[in-house]
Amino acid sequence: MNAPSRFSNDRNVIAFRPGLPGRKPIRVALFSGNYNCVRDGANRALNRLVGHLLYKAGMDVRIYSPTAPRPAFQSVGEVRSVPSLAIPGRPEYRVAIGLTSGVRRDLDDFAPDIVHLSCPDRLGRQAQKYARAHNIPVVASLHTRFETYLDYYRLSFLRGTIERYLDRFYGDADLILAPTAPIRDEMAVVHGADRLAVWGRGIDPRDFAPTLRDPAFRAAHGYEEGDIVPLFFGRLVLEKGLGVFTDAIAAIRAQGHHVRPLIVGEGPARSWLAQRLPNATFTGHMSGADLGRAVASADLLINPSVTEAFGNVNLEAMASGLAVLSADVPSATALIDHGHTGLLLQPTDSHAYAEAAIGLMNDRRRLTALRQAAADAAARHRWEDVLDSVAQAYARLLPHKGSPAALPACAPRAGTG
């Protein structure tokens, strides 16, 4: 069991413990597609949730997930490795072969009160059927807009099939945790508002804050004091909008602005990106204080990605005091007040990003105002509140386990087979 000290050594009073004296704690079986194989926003959020459930909410959690020979990071909680195969060309991602007899026996032994599905893969679908057969409430959380990936890999003809499958997957859950209010409202049209709740994301001000801006970092990478540094921040994969980003930088330069972007992150498309941006600064993977310092030392984020369900990158950049130029998609509209805390742009219009960036470069007063408003808005996203809401959502599905009287019971929907 791997548990970082920031959770296990926390001596704060437990703010929410759904069990009553003499009652066993709620047991949660969490199914993940790659809980510690890849260090991305979804996995970081799941790890934070597990830490909160274990050390603040007093629950028992067991994670079922593919695992890699070398984990991408130290994960939180008790992970049960499920049989899986590496994806050809993307070995960091693994695909579970399903709910094997060994996993079923382990589930029987654990006897979960809640089954939480974080990935709509074969493992998740079979775990859903297991839960139905054993009358266990199912929670499904949305982390990625998988249907949007198809356009980047010339598989758009499969979109209808994938969307119908996702509707069935989420439709067979008792509770759906959407990452933002716009996505909640979108899914409520199909699945009903009574089965939707929001599980957002938070910010740790120790990790992301304007005060982490470091002139020495900028100088070490060749940036002068008055330079405007555009940032790309995240996994270096094509589906993050890298093509639009490179085109936007080219359009900025075509108008006489000699910007040199800062690229923070790692991934299989790094060489592709480096060929198109030969004079960009690549930091590779960063974490902790180094990551926060790098992000805060840029000036504006250009984020054309449409695949995020929440938009951790946008929120972390905002918290770092950057002006955010983001694709106008539900994950971004939930965070950004256009023209006040950032700018929302047509996702594939590279010239729109370029014009917006140039406008801010030419109007430093407006740039400063956007950066300050973004930091103020991001500070309202507190991890403690966000994670408490998930623990409370679990408890509402299990009134017999002793959920607080102040929380109304939420009856599970009848099984759908």
Side-chain angles (χ1 to χ4, degrees):
M1 177 174 178
N2 299 321
S5 60
R6 72 187 304 168
F7 288 114
S8 56
N9 292 338
D10 194 332
R11 298 181 181 180
N12 292 335
V13 176
I14 292 174
F16 176 81
R17 183 181 287 274
L20 292 176
R23 299 288 185 95
K24 293 182 179 180
I26 291 175
R27 296 182 300 278
V28 181
L30 172 64
F31 286 82
S32 170
N34 47 75
Y35 184 71
N36 60 9
C37 300
V38 178
R39 187 180 182 88
D40 60 13
N43 287 329
R44 286 187 291 137
L46 288 171
N47 274 260
R48 276 191 177 271
L49 174 63
V50 170
H52 187 85
L53 297 177
L54 288 171
Y55 304 115
K56 288 292 187 70
M59 299 186 184
D60 288 341
V61 184
R62 187 172 291 181
I63 303 103
Y64 297 88
S65 172
T67 57
R70 294 181 61 184
F73 59 96
Q74 184 183 32
S75 59
V76 181
E78 181 183 0
V79 181
R80 291 289 200 266
S81 181
V82 303
S84 63
L85 300 171
I87 296 178
R90 298 289 294 275
E92 72 274 23
Y93 288 102
R94 304 189 65 86
V95 177
I97 65 174
L99 198 68
T100 62
S101 58
V103 176
R104 289 176 185 273
R105 287 193 297 271
D106 195 271
L107 268 174
D108 291 339
D109 178 67
F110 184 53
D113 301 299
I114 293 278
V115 168
H116 182 155
L117 312 173
S118 68
C119 182
D121 58 1
R122 176 180 174 85
L123 175 66
R125 187 62 165 155
Q126 291 183 349
Q128 192 173 57
K129 292 179 179 180
Y130 173 95
R132 286 285 175 225
H134 292 78
N135 198 31
I136 302 170
V138 174
V139 176
S141 54
L142 178 67
H143 297 269
T144 302
R145 305 305 296 258
F146 286 104
E147 68 277 13
T148 65
Y149 281 41
L150 302 173
D151 295 338
Y152 293 93
Y153 297 98
R154 300 179 181 178
L155 296 172
S156 299
F157 63 93
L158 292 175
R159 184 156 185 156
T161 300
I162 296 297
E163 289 178 339
R164 287 189 293 273
Y165 170 79
L166 292 173
D167 281 345
R168 291 195 301 273
F169 178 85
Y170 291 107
D172 284 343
D174 296 295
L175 177 66
I176 305 167
L177 297 176
T180 66
I183 294 177
R184 175 201 61 196
D185 296 342
E186 174 187 318
M187 298 185 77
V189 174
V190 177
H191 303 297
D194 61 326
R195 292 198 297 119
L196 267 295
V198 174
W199 171 24
R201 303 294 182 266
I203 282 293
D204 188 332
R206 295 172 297 180
D207 296 332
F208 298 99
T211 53
L212 297 176
R213 186 177 179 88
D214 185 359
F217 174 91
R218 289 171 61 95
H221 289 86
Y223 296 110
E224 297 182 3
E225 183 178 349
D227 289 348
I228 297 296
V229 179
L231 172 71
F232 184 92
F233 167 33
R235 287 272 300 160
L236 303 186
V237 289
L238 293 179
E239 59 265 28
K240 297 298 184 182
L242 293 181
V244 177
F245 179 82
T246 58
D247 289 346
I249 296 299
I252 294 170
R253 290 171 172 171
Q255 295 196 40
H257 298 275
H258 301 291
V259 295
R260 184 159 55 87
L262 176 65
I263 313 296
V264 177
E266 193 55 86
R270 175 169 177 161
S271 60
W272 181 95
L273 187 59
Q275 289 176 1
R276 287 156 181 79
L277 295 174
N279 67 338
T281 298
F282 287 81
T283 69
H285 171 73
M286 304 183 83
S287 61
D290 291 337
L291 174 61
R293 181 166 57 251
V295 174
S297 297
D299 296 285
L300 54 88
L301 174 77
I302 298 178
N303 181 18
S305 178
V306 300
T307 61
E308 278 78 22
F310 180 80
N312 297 282
V313 166
N314 282 346
L315 183 60
E316 289 164 356
M318 291 169 66
S320 301
L322 272 62
V324 175
L325 283 57
S326 173
D328 188 358
V329 291
S331 60
T333 59
L335 295 172
I336 297 172
D337 178 5
H338 178 67
H340 177 57
T341 60
L343 300 176
L344 299 170
L345 304 165
Q346 204 283 325
T348 60
D349 188 349
S350 58
H351 288 282
Y353 290 97
E355 291 300 320
I358 291 170
L360 294 177
M361 292 165 68
N362 291 333
D363 188 347
R364 300 297 177 99
R365 181 175 297 180
R366 188 182 184 215
L367 174 61
T368 299
L370 276 179
R371 293 174 62 173
Q372 183 61 58
D376 292 343
R380 295 194 290 270
H381 293 259
R382 291 166 35 88
W383 272 118
E384 190 78 10
D385 298 337
V386 166
L387 298 175
D388 272 347
S389 71
V390 180
Q392 292 168 10
Y394 287 163
R396 285 195 294 269
L397 289 172
L398 298 166
H400 63 284
K401 293 289 289 187
S403 57
L407 297 174
C410 176
R413 188 171 65 92
T416 56

